[in-house]
Amino acid sequence: MLSIVISFFSLFFSIISFTMSIHNGNKQALFDKRLTIFMHAEEFKQVIDDNKSCLKIPSGVSVDNTIQFRNMINSPFLNELYALIPDPFNRDGPGPQDNAEAQKRFLLTKAKILKDSETASLIFASPENTIVSDFIRCFVALLDSRRLYAIYEKDIRKKEKEYRSRHPGEQIDTEEFLNQHTDQRDYQSKYLEDPIHQLTAAYSAYCHNRSKIKQQIRLTRSNLLYLEFWRNLLKRK
């Protein structure tokens, strides 16, 4: 009879230990995912902290878009995208449309970041899940908009040169040309101003709730340690 009881308890503790191992593995995976996404969000936050001008709304025609693009990729995760705009100070130099491989790399990186954003909305608790997700999504949205605006900028500079060659005696500065002969204002609003407004709001919300986001990661780690303690205790039974 005693051997039956001992066998029952041995089986019971084995089942409990196995179940806790599964829970521990799930918690470890959750912790790893949360930490990875948080570190990416922290990289993006640091980029903005180091260069707040990337959130500055252009007062007139944007002349530093390519420079701000390079400032926004000044992080370990994004620095490999530098080839997209190799010389941001040379407005007549190569642009995103001139390097198909760099464009492909950018789009792949963008897809990874958007996946992080979607994952964040699923693995963090509400309302911090939306805050992390929105910040990551808005950051890459502005970065992509700067890429698209750089392509558009190349096109309208080409049109300006063609216009000047056809009207050599006309006195018109660049801003006048853009306002009178292009839809630059609409492009600037769509691809720079609106995304900057959205990222500014998302960045502010992220900074304000950063401690709560970190607390969720700490709680996941604490649960891991708790489960590991009981699993080891059961092993000794």
Side-chain angles (χ1 to χ4, degrees), residues 70-201:
R70 287 296 293 270
N71 287 335
M72 288 185 68
I73 64 171
N74 187 28
S75 75
F77 184 51
L78 298 174
N79 193 52
E80 65 175 11
L81 302 176
Y82 74 93
L84 200 64
I85 302 177
D87 185 358
F89 295 97
N90 182 5
R91 300 180 70 193
D92 294 317
Q97 74 280 10
D98 299 317
N99 191 329
E101 185 60 33
Q103 288 244 56
K104 178 182 177 181
R105 188 179 301 114
F106 177 91
L107 294 174
L108 289 173
T109 302
K110 174 188 171 183
K112 290 178 183 178
I113 297 173
L114 290 176
K115 183 179 179 180
D116 278 353
S117 173
E118 183 63 27
T119 302
S121 70
L122 299 174
I123 65 173
F124 284 94
S126 180
E128 288 75 31
N129 60 334
T130 301
I131 292 169
V132 178
S133 178
D134 284 352
F135 175 57
I136 293 172
R137 176 179 52 79
C138 288
F139 187 92
V140 75
L142 177 56
L143 192 63
D144 192 29
S145 290
R146 290 195 181 282
R147 174 184 70 92
L148 294 172
Y149 189 83
I151 294 173
Y152 171 74
E153 189 178 30
K154 286 283 185 181
D155 184 53
I156 59 176
R157 284 179 65 78
K158 180 181 178 182
K159 290 180 179 178
E160 181 183 3
K161 290 179 180 179
E162 292 173 351
Y163 180 87
R164 292 187 184 282
S165 68
R166 295 196 307 268
H167 304 83
E170 184 175 350
Q171 298 297 319
I172 183 172
D173 62 28
T174 296
E175 188 160 357
E176 287 177 322
F177 168 79
L178 293 176
N179 291 332
Q180 295 176 20
H181 301 284
T182 73
D183 50 0
Q184 186 275 152
R185 187 68 193 85
D186 294 335
Y187 263 77
Q188 183 163 301
S189 175
K190 179 179 179 180
Y191 290 107
L192 295 183
E193 295 174 11
D194 291 349
I196 287 174
H197 281 302
Q198 292 166 11
L199 179 55
T200 299

